[in-house]
Amino acid sequence: MLKIALLGKGKTGSKIIELNDNNPKYSITVFDSQNRPTVEKLKQHDYIISFLPGPIFSEYLDMLLESRVCVISGTTGCELPNGLNERLKEINSSWVLSSNFAVGMSLAYHVLKVLKSANVLFDDYSLNIHEIHHTKKIDAPSGTAKSWNDWLGGQCEVTSERIGDVVGTHTVTLETPYEEMTFTHKSKDRKIFAEGALWCVEYLQSTQLPAGVHLFENLTRSIVEKELLK
């Protein structure tokens, strides 16, 4: 049975435990304030999954690199060091990172790439992104909203809202003088991110990724693109 080191059992980490309890596939060790990780402890695992807050993840960065274990990280709100990709190549390790582990985001990407071409049809139009998250989410706009804006060529006004315990809702609106189109991705349960992280473990078991940094959305996107080419 594969061994997973789970860093933290917060809102998303607890969902990973819950999903695995419902259909046990992995041996999961939780590392938190009661069981702090060390390099030696981490080396005993096949994968490391992290949804830690940004500052804590930054503190663990050197330890994670020293362990040489593949890291699957949905941590946001922190700046990764320059040269991380080169450091991973030097130690022959691969990390999979993303601001959003929703598998369906790969479909959203292709929808937004079509909307990006609005300038081909319209002279007068605007693209706007609005994202809503829970009140405890500190960073704004969200990492996903930033990615959406990148996918749309950086031409969007991005607005943010923090309400209750909203998991995550992102909406892009294309507006012209005489018509309006909207596309929304709504995360209904934090299991969506836990499911994506565990999907990534399955994917890595069947695919040999080269050493370095990889984006989760690129992995799922490549599968969709192969289907579109059929």
Side-chain angles (χ1 to χ4, degrees), residues 97-117:
L97 311 177
S98 182
S99 61
N100 192 318
F101 269 83
V103 176
M105 276 294 165
S106 56
L107 299 177
Y109 168 81
H110 288 284
V111 172
L112 298 186
K113 294 298 280 187
V114 173
L115 289 178
K116 180 184 177 182
S117 302

Side-chain angles (χ1 to χ4, degrees), residues 105 107-116 118 125-132 144-145 147-153 155-159 169-175 180-186:
M105 276 294 165
L107 299 177
Y109 168 81
H110 288 284
V111 172
L112 298 186
K113 294 298 280 187
V114 173
L115 289 178
K116 180 184 177 182
Y125 74 97
S126 64
L127 282 164
N128 302 285
I129 296 170
H130 185 65
E131 57 95 355
I132 307 172
T144 299
S147 294
W148 278 29
N149 193 24
D150 289 342
W151 298 346
L152 289 163
Q155 56 184 315
C156 299
E157 176 186 357
V158 183
T159 54
T169 300
H170 295 81
T171 299
V172 60
T173 301
L174 169 65
E175 187 170 2
E180 180 177 300
M181 286 178 276
T182 62
F183 173 77
T184 297
H185 181 281
K186 181 177 182 180

Side-chain angles (χ1 to χ4, degrees), residues 176-209:
T176 76
Y178 310 114
E179 61 186 304
E180 180 177 300
M181 286 178 276
T182 62
F183 173 77
T184 297
H185 181 281
K186 181 177 182 180
S187 300
K188 299 189 294 183
D189 190 297
R190 286 182 179 81
K191 285 180 181 177
I192 190 174
F193 310 126
E195 181 183 53
L198 294 176
W199 179 96
C200 190
V201 171
E202 293 288 329
Y203 178 87
L204 293 171
Q205 282 296 292
S206 60
T207 306
Q208 185 64 44
L209 285 182

Side-chain angles (χ1 to χ4, degrees), residues 88-102:
L88 287 170
K89 289 180 179 180
E90 288 174 3
I91 63 175
N92 194 31
S93 182
S94 57
W95 286 18
V96 180
L97 311 177
S98 182
S99 61
N100 192 318
F101 269 83

Side-chain angles (χ1 to χ4, degrees), residues 42-43 45-48 64 67-71 93-95:
L42 293 176
K43 281 182 175 180
H45 297 81
D46 300 295
Y47 297 96
I48 298 169
L64 296 174
S67 76
R68 302 194 177 196
V69 178
C70 176
V71 174
S93 182
S94 57
W95 286 18

